[in-house]
Amino acid sequence: MREDTSGSTKSNHLLIISTKENGMLCSSSEKVPGKVIIAGYVWVMRLKITNGAFTAASTFRAQMRRSPDVNDVLHELTTDNGGVRRIDETTLELMIPGDVTASWPARTAFIDIARTDLSEPTHLGFRLAVPVQKPITRA
């Protein structure tokens, strides 16, 4: 995984996730820079997944948790609620409205994504750890 700093996504961050033929990460322990969640502000992150083959009919579901080991879900992102949007064959965009994160304390949020339009839901084979920060400028 690596962050594209070419500015090609305007104000959005683009994180490139390299996968093998089987869809699993080449290196699942690699840490990369990304866009932190600023509590109370909209968060948008684009993920470019190599070997992705997302059709226009692809649907997705992602859950954010404060730890992979806890049951409580901070927020669920889906294709239906606009939280996971297919941009093209290899690119997904994740979006969380600011009102969802407004009460989140500073911590790390964990997220992974599953494709839900196939006969069996299919995990995309990676997870992200996204820092959450309290803003200095608050509404």
Side-chain angles (χ1 to χ4, degrees), residues 5-41:
T5 56
S6 67
S8 62
T9 59
K10 300 177 186 164
S11 63
N12 299 333
H13 279 67
L14 176 66
L15 188 62
I16 299 173
I17 299 173
S18 299
T19 57
K20 296 179 182 178
E21 289 298 319
N22 64 2
M24 297 305 287
L25 280 180
C26 292
S27 173
S28 60
S29 62
E30 186 177 352
K31 290 185 178 182
V32 297
K35 184 176 180 184
V36 300
I37 296 171
I38 304 296
Y41 288 85

Side-chain angles (χ1 to χ4, degrees), residues 7-84:
S8 62
T9 59
K10 300 177 186 164
S11 63
N12 299 333
H13 279 67
L14 176 66
L15 188 62
I16 299 173
I17 299 173
S18 299
T19 57
K20 296 179 182 178
E21 289 298 319
N22 64 2
M24 297 305 287
L25 280 180
C26 292
S27 173
S28 60
S29 62
E30 186 177 352
K31 290 185 178 182
V32 297
K35 184 176 180 184
V36 300
I37 296 171
I38 304 296
Y41 288 85
V42 174
W43 178 79
V44 178
M45 174 71 77
R46 284 194 179 182
L47 306 172
K48 185 164 189 72
I49 302 166
T50 62
N51 294 331
F54 308 133
T55 66
S58 297
T59 59
F60 303 91
R61 177 176 175 234
Q63 292 185 336
M64 296 195 82
R65 298 177 191 266
R66 61 183 167 82
S67 165
D69 301 322
V70 300
N71 290 330
D72 61 311
V73 176
L74 292 170
H75 185 62
E76 184 165 276
L77 300 84
T78 66
T79 303
D80 288 340
N81 71 15
V84 183

Side-chain angles (χ1 to χ4, degrees), residues 86-111:
R86 177 194 173 272
I87 301 301
D88 60 35
E89 208 172 75
T90 61
T91 308
L92 301 177
E93 181 176 83
L94 306 179
M95 192 278 294
I96 304 173
D99 61 331
V100 170
T101 64
S103 64
W104 290 7
R107 65 165 43 136
T108 299
F110 294 86
I111 186 170

Side-chain angles (χ1 to χ4, degrees), residues 60 113-125:
F60 303 91
I113 305 171
R115 186 167 168 185
T116 57
D117 62 297
L118 304 173
S119 58
E120 291 282 328
T122 303
H123 194 279
L124 296 189

